[in-house]
Amino acid sequence: MLEFTKITFQQFLRDRKKDNLLMSRPEYAVSVRAKKKPTKRLIGVPSTEAVIKHGLELISAFLSDYYYTIDYPEMLEELLKYTYENKRKFDIIAAMSCCEIGDEALTGITPMKPAVTNKT
């Protein structure tokens, strides 16, 4: 899951034919206007207050269950010092939030191998 504002990185992946690695925007984060045009595939989540707070709730749930798995001092430091008012200074928390949102979006989806096509 990518933050929607990372347009340059999206273009970087498109140029290299790797844009299939980007996740579509989760249904809860799609605006009413975008739902009227379902043909456009929106990438990433917007940085709205609702999405940020949802991501923080997911991080909190993760920490409640798996705090002992974090073995990255910089992440622990940001988790201890994080405040919503200074959120722009905490890149690791933003990345962690996107990971948790992406994980939530993939809940219940079974991974499968892509179909192989023969080029003859």
Side-chain angles (χ1 to χ4, degrees):
M1 183 61 61
L2 185 66
E3 193 176 304
F4 179 68
T5 58
K6 307 302 180 197
I7 306 294
T8 307
F9 186 66
Q10 288 182 35
Q11 192 58 46
F12 173 83
L13 290 175
R14 280 192 189 102
D15 292 346
R16 286 154 182 80
K17 308 277 191 263
K18 297 292 184 185
D19 56 331
N20 62 315
L21 299 174
L22 298 170
M23 289 184 70
S24 297
R25 184 171 295 180
E27 188 65 30
Y28 80 89
V30 176
S31 68
V32 175
R33 188 178 343 156
K35 287 180 183 179
K36 292 179 182 178
K37 298 179 182 180
T39 57
K40 186 176 181 185
R41 180 179 175 233
L42 296 171
I43 301 296
V45 289
S47 296
T48 63
E49 183 177 351
V51 171
I52 292 169
K53 288 192 176 191
H54 181 65
L56 293 174
E57 290 170 1
L58 293 172
I59 289 173
S60 179
F62 172 82
L63 292 173
S64 293
D65 295 336
Y66 303 106
Y67 65 91
Y68 57 88
T69 64
I70 299 174
D71 191 29
Y72 187 48
E74 293 84 357
M75 182 183 285
L76 292 171
E77 186 176 331
E78 282 198 15
L79 286 166
L80 290 170
K81 293 182 178 181
Y82 180 85
T83 63
Y84 183 80
E85 293 76 27
N86 293 325
K87 62 185 170 281
R88 298 197 185 281
K89 298 179 181 180
F90 296 91
D91 292 336
I92 295 172
I93 302 300
M96 194 175 181
S97 176
C98 285
C99 288
E100 290 300 318
I101 290 170
D103 181 60
E104 179 185 55
L106 292 174
T107 300
I109 297 175
T110 304
M112 296 186 301
K113 287 185 178 182
V116 178
T117 57
N118 292 330
K119 294 182 181 181
T120 53

